[in-house]
Amino acid sequence: MPLSDRRVAASTDPLTVEDSEAPRAAAPAKKKAKADAKPKPVVKTADKLARLGLKSDIDLVLHLPMRYEDETQLTPIGELIPGDIAQTEGVVFDNEIAYRPRRQLLVKIHDDAGDELTLRFLNFYGSQVKQMAIGVRLRVRGDVRGGFFGLEMVHPAVRPVDDGTPLPQALTPVYPSTAGISQAYLRKAIDNAITRVDLPELLPAPIAETHLKPLNVPGLLDAVRTLHHPHADSDESALIDGTHPAWTRIKFEELLAQQLSLKRAHEERRTRAAPAMPRRAPDDDASLVVRLLRALPFALTGAQQRVVAEIAGELTLAHPMQRLLQGDVGSGKTIVAALAAAQAIDAGYQAALMAPTEILAEQHARKLRGWLEPLGVTVAWLAGSLKAKEKRAALEAAALGTAKLIIGTHAIIQDAVEFARLGLVIVDEQHRFGVAQRLALRAKALNAADGKQDFQPHQLMMSATPIPRTLAMTYYADLDVSTIDELPPGRTPILTKVVSDGRRDEIIGRVREAALTGRQVYWVCPLIEESETLQLQTAVETYETLVAALPELRVGLVHGRLAPAEKAAVMDAFSRNEVQLLVATTVIEVGVDVPNASLMVIEHAERFGLAQLHQLRGRVGRGSTASVCVLMYANPLSQTARARLSTMRETTDGFEIARRDLEIRGPGEFLGARQSGEAMLRFASLENDGWLIEPAREAADQMLARFPDAVTRHLARWLGAREHYLKA
Ligand code: ADP
Ligand code: MG
């Protein structure tokens, strides 16, 4: 444990020797300070507690230890083992300030057996030197080290004691704290609060009976007491690793609060108005949905039919849908979105489709125009890069309602855009949008409701980053989820090869071969996160070397800095097979769909995250030719990079990849903490406590249905101000 961490542990007692923040004993006394010098502002302890979020007795009581220290044992000095954290006791027989190699206080103690231990302090107060005077008996606790002069502890926690001072009977709690609040102070404040507060059970008896009893956990007050002051005979390791039944009880309460809160948000939505969009009969020749289905060159997969039905059913209801459509890359989400839009248009409303990049938005525009314009629907295209005149025309079409479907980037949510009758908002690759943009979209929807519309549009969010079930339950309990779990037929699986960049020439040879047999190829440039300029430069260089190496091929380059028109021109040429090799940065990561492309080379694959690699790879394997993805890496490979690359080689299943990604990275990073309900959890963690989510969810359903008052009180107790995190 690094010294700085240990200091938290060191301050377990008011008399503890505090170290590095302490002034040097020799620092000149500031007695000569001018009379008019302002006194330092004193932050009151109550304010400091408030900063920790500890305002009421309940807050204090629920401020639970982050870990424990075992001070119940004394180890004789002779039995100390270097590397262990231990507590021992002895009498000071030497106390000196040394100056070499640097200024330090050296205190030596011995115990009755005559074994010696050196205590070393690099920063110290004069008062501490006195406190550890020769002849004083000290109880010390710290990391044991084998020093040059025998055993030593550097900056141990130290307490003068009388011979025979009893040892604590229970583990000593260590609380989360901030600078300026000592553990001793916190402990006292919490102990006082425990005596004052009564912590009634809020779970209604029938809920406790069915959902809590099977967990075999103690009552709430009991659990809290155990956690603050574990009994001498409690299972120490279970307390420390968080599996003790007392912890289970607390985690259950917390997860219950989270589920309640998410479900409340969900229910609250049912009280708002949205346009009901009735379904048309399957033989209704006037229905756009019907005509679109008839015109499609393919039949929907079973999974597509199922999610289309789920969405269509919800659109008929008069409250806003908020549904996540998840489906692996290439599973065919776009047509599902188009059918939802068609249902909105059938009912006399407009639909908007927002995509995170201009390339993707453009491609959607092309695809949906191809499907809908022959059926007489006007589709408007709105992007930041449009010329003023085109933009004005698009805005007008949206405002007048002549455009039934408006497709674009986040330009759609900019202030100037008004819709005549917006009934459905579709967000593609929703995880790619920042929280701010999602909030803006929500505000836009609400504004639409305030203005001439007295309703809020339905929302369909699409994502190709599938979320494992436990995560979806915890984080998106306020969303309804539809999942496409089947790929369209006729896809040949992608073969993934992991090769070292030493074989670059060989790979270039493969690219030539593939292109000359009529296939198309993506070459993905290395990701350089630190510098966009460098990234661009690398892309241009890669392009130039490939052009030189493959003179017989038509090569294109696409990157984020190209003007949108140039970007569109290159993508167009590629989709018409006029370009055979497309050198690209990650701008092609999302959604790009060119079925004839069947070979992808990713350079420096070790720099990409799993989700990103999966998305990139999803650009191939869209046609009937067998596709290959070459992950080229440079040594040395880190452990996690190696894990990522083997995952990619072993599976193409997006859910499996997401599951492993979660394993490698942990849920916080996986979702981005602010994107999710994770900010609400203090005690429960998804890695360890996933099994508690299901019971918490069931209890939440019951409580909402039968005990609304208990719900409110439970939320106030456990979430308080934190609930607003969910509103993102
Ligand atoms: P994603 O879910 O990644 O957005 P797309 O909607 O882009 O996938 O679909 C990928 C490709 O599969 C597109 O070319 C699309 O037209 C095609 N497709 C979608 N559904 C089917 C289907 N049921 N049968 C055959 N091809 C389909
Ligand atoms: Mg897509």
Side-chain angles (χ1 to χ4, degrees):
M1 209 190 324
L3 249 174
S4 56
D5 288 353
R6 205 174 329 133
R7 212 171 324 116
V8 181
S11 51
T12 49
D13 187 282
L15 300 178
T16 290
V17 176
E18 292 281 4
D19 49 76
S20 43
E21 262 106 7
R24 296 289 189 85
K30 298 236 169 72
K31 274 183 193 144
K32 278 181 257 158
K34 289 192 185 126
D36 61 357
K38 281 189 197 137
K40 256 189 165 179
V42 178
V43 181
K44 291 214 198 75
T45 314
D47 292 341
K48 290 184 193 159
L49 284 178
R51 228 181 281 159
L52 280 174
L54 305 177
K55 291 176 185 151
S56 66
D57 281 347
I58 289 274
D59 294 337
L60 280 164
V61 169
L62 296 181
H63 193 67
L64 296 170
M66 54 179 179
R67 57 194 176 80
Y68 298 88
E69 274 169 7
D70 187 353
E71 296 178 346
T72 61
Q73 312 279 334
L74 279 182
T75 310
I77 294 174
E79 289 168 27
L80 291 176
I81 297 167
D84 281 359
I85 297 177
Q87 178 170 254
T88 189
E89 212 174 280
V91 175
V92 178
F93 68 90
D94 191 21
N95 173 325
E96 64 167 315
I97 297 174
Y99 290 90
R100 237 163 288 164
R102 53 171 290 186
R103 187 173 170 280
Q104 52 186 301
L105 172 63
L106 295 173
V107 174
K108 293 184 181 167
I109 60 174
H110 58 199
D111 61 11
D112 302 339
D115 295 308
E116 296 178 8
L117 175 70
T118 302
L119 315 177
R120 188 191 295 273
F121 302 90
L122 301 177
N123 296 291
F124 48 94
Y125 290 107
S127 61
Q128 290 169 331
V129 182
K130 283 193 206 118
Q131 190 189 44
M132 295 185 279
I134 290 173
V136 174
R137 173 175 285 270
L138 297 178
R139 189 169 285 174
V140 300
R141 185 170 190 283
D143 278 345
V144 182
R145 302 208 314 201
F148 188 67
F149 299 106
L151 287 180
E152 64 172 30
M153 287 183 182
V154 180
H155 287 278
V158 174
R159 187 155 76 109
V161 289
D162 295 327
D163 196 3
T165 301
L167 287 162
Q169 291 300 297
L171 296 177
T172 309
V174 179
Y175 294 103
S177 184
T178 55
I181 305 186
S182 72
Q183 288 292 321
Y185 184 89
L186 259 179
R187 221 172 282 145
K188 197 174 279 171
I190 290 168
D191 285 352
N192 287 340
I194 293 177
T195 60
R196 279 193 300 261
V197 87
D198 71 326
L199 196 61
E201 295 280 345
L202 296 180
L203 288 190
I207 303 274
E209 181 66 25
T210 21
H211 300 284
L212 211 49
K213 209 165 168 206
L215 299 177
N216 250 321
V217 289
L220 189 57
L221 193 57
D222 219 19
V224 165
R225 288 209 171 114
T226 302
L227 294 174
H228 286 298
H229 293 288
H231 306 290
D233 57 355
S234 358
D235 178 348
E236 247 177 70
S237 60
L239 275 169
I240 287 166
D241 68 21
T243 55
H244 193 282
W247 274 125
T248 306
R249 174 65 206 256
I250 299 296
K251 290 172 176 182
F252 177 82
E253 295 274 314
E254 185 180 52
L255 286 167
L256 176 63
Q258 191 207 35
Q259 293 297 312
L260 287 171
S261 167
L262 289 163
K263 281 172 193 285
R264 268 250 168 117
H266 187 270
E267 286 192 347
E268 192 261 327
R269 223 170 47 233
R270 314 243 144 195
T271 65
R272 282 181 265 145
M277 301 168 170
R279 294 163 91 161
R280 302 288 192 89
D283 58 352
D284 182 346
D285 292 334
S287 156
L288 186 59
V289 172
V290 173
R291 290 189 298 143
L292 175 55
L293 279 171
R294 278 185 200 153
L296 279 184
F298 50 76
L300 297 184
T301 62
Q304 281 171 320
Q305 288 175 22
R306 177 171 44 74
V307 300
V308 165
E310 284 165 8
I311 294 166
E314 203 176 354
L315 289 178
T316 63
L317 307 177
H319 53 73
M321 171 174 85
Q322 206 152 312
R323 186 171 283 270
L324 178 69
L325 171 61
Q326 52 175 2
D328 209 346
V329 227
S331 61
K333 295 184 289 296
T334 316
I335 183 60
V336 176
L339 287 165
Q343 187 170 342
I345 297 166
D346 268 344
Y349 295 92
Q350 290 169 299
L353 168 59
M354 187 164 94
T357 68
E358 197 147 329
I359 285 194
L360 183 55
E362 164 97 50
Q363 185 173 300
H364 279 322
R366 198 176 327 128
K367 186 146 222 165
L368 290 164
R369 277 186 164 142
W371 282 334
L372 294 173
E373 283 183 350
L375 305 176
V377 176
T378 307
V379 179
W381 157 247
L382 200 59
S385 65
L386 283 185
K387 297 205 186 70
K389 200 173 136 199
E390 297 167 317
K391 191 178 227 160
R392 220 172 311 125
L395 288 174
E396 204 172 280
L400 292 176
T402 47
K404 298 297 177 201
L405 176 60
I406 297 91
I407 300 177
T409 57
H410 53 273
I412 287 188
I413 50 176
Q414 270 145 22
D415 293 339
V417 188
E418 275 184 46
F419 298 93
R421 253 190 135 206
L422 183 61
L424 170 67
V425 172
I426 304 166
V427 185
D428 195 15
E429 308 292 349
Q430 63 98 28
H431 61 284
R432 297 288 306 256
F433 285 96
V435 171
Q437 286 165 324
R438 298 224 299 273
L439 285 175
L441 182 68
R442 186 186 293 233
K444 186 104 205 155
L446 289 172
N447 283 343
D450 296 341
K452 43 198 179 322
Q453 300 185 165
D454 51 1
F455 57 76
Q456 190 179 322
H458 297 284
Q459 271 194 49
L460 178 64
M461 288 154 274
M462 306 199 282
S463 175
T465 301
I467 295 148
R469 193 177 137 72
T470 46
L471 272 189
M473 278 200 299
T474 332
Y475 292 112
Y476 293 115
D478 65 330
L479 296 184
D480 298 295
V481 180
S482 290
T483 304
I484 307 183
D485 52 6
E486 178 187 354
L487 292 180
R491 301 275 164 88
T492 38
I494 307 169
L495 176 66
T496 300
K497 294 184 175 172
V498 178
V499 303
S500 128
D501 62 0
R503 292 167 59 192
R504 209 184 146 87
D505 289 344
E506 188 187 322
I507 292 163
I508 292 178
R510 291 293 188 82
V511 169
R512 178 185 296 115
E513 240 168 72
L516 292 180
T517 54
R519 297 158 65 188
Q520 285 176 277
V521 185
Y522 292 103
W523 189 289
V524 181
C525 298
L527 177 72
I528 301 172
E529 278 187 337
E530 315 81 64
S531 157
E532 207 193 325
T533 320
L534 217 56
Q535 164 122 17
L536 182 69
Q537 192 187 325
T538 314
V540 172
E541 279 165 16
T542 310
Y543 169 73
E544 282 165 359
T545 22
L546 287 172
V547 167
L550 298 163
E552 60 274 67
L553 303 190
R554 290 179 304 271
V555 187
L557 170 64
V558 60
H559 57 72
R561 289 278 187 84
L562 284 186
E566 295 173 276
K567 230 185 272 176
V570 179
M571 291 311 295
D572 257 357
F574 190 60
S575 55
R576 283 197 306 266
N577 202 357
E578 286 159 17
V579 161
Q580 296 158 298
L581 170 60
L582 183 65
V583 180
T585 57
T586 50
V587 294
I588 59 145
E589 178 188 342
V590 273
V592 171
D593 183 32
V594 179
N596 192 46
S598 60
L599 173 59
M600 170 174 283
V601 179
I602 304 180
E603 261 197 271
H604 277 291
E606 77 281 0
R607 295 189 192 164
F608 294 88
L610 261 183
Q612 216 170 11
L613 287 173
H614 180 60
Q615 287 277 343
L616 282 168
R617 182 172 59 183
R619 301 310 111 215
V620 294
R622 300 186 152 234
S624 46
T625 344
S627 290
V628 176
C629 176
V630 178
L631 302 176
M632 205 155 62
Y633 66 88
N635 279 311
L637 270 186
S638 73
Q639 198 80 24
T640 52
R642 193 179 299 272
R644 287 198 298 266
L645 295 181
S646 9
T647 298
M648 288 300 293
R649 187 178 43 214
E650 285 158 22
T651 177
T652 51
D653 175 346
F655 279 90
E656 176 61 16
I657 289 174
R659 200 185 58 70
R660 300 224 202 152
D661 200 15
L662 181 64
E663 241 170 49
I664 298 173
R665 289 198 293 163
E669 237 191 292
F670 181 84
L671 288 169
R674 277 297 318 257
Q675 267 195 38
S676 60
E678 164 140 285
M680 303 168 72
L681 297 177
R682 279 182 289 172
F683 307 117
S685 88
L686 287 165
E687 285 103 316
N688 305 326
D689 309 312
W691 66 281
L692 272 174
I693 295 172
E694 190 80 55
R697 205 167 64 120
E698 282 166 13
D701 282 338
Q702 289 298 312
M703 241 168 114
L704 281 163
R706 298 166 58 195
F707 306 97
D709 292 349
V711 171
T712 309
R713 279 184 290 156
H714 188 86
L715 286 175
R717 175 183 285 179
W718 286 93
L719 296 181
R722 242 180 305 233
E723 212 185 338
H724 72 268
Y725 276 115
L726 278 180
K727 304 290 183 264

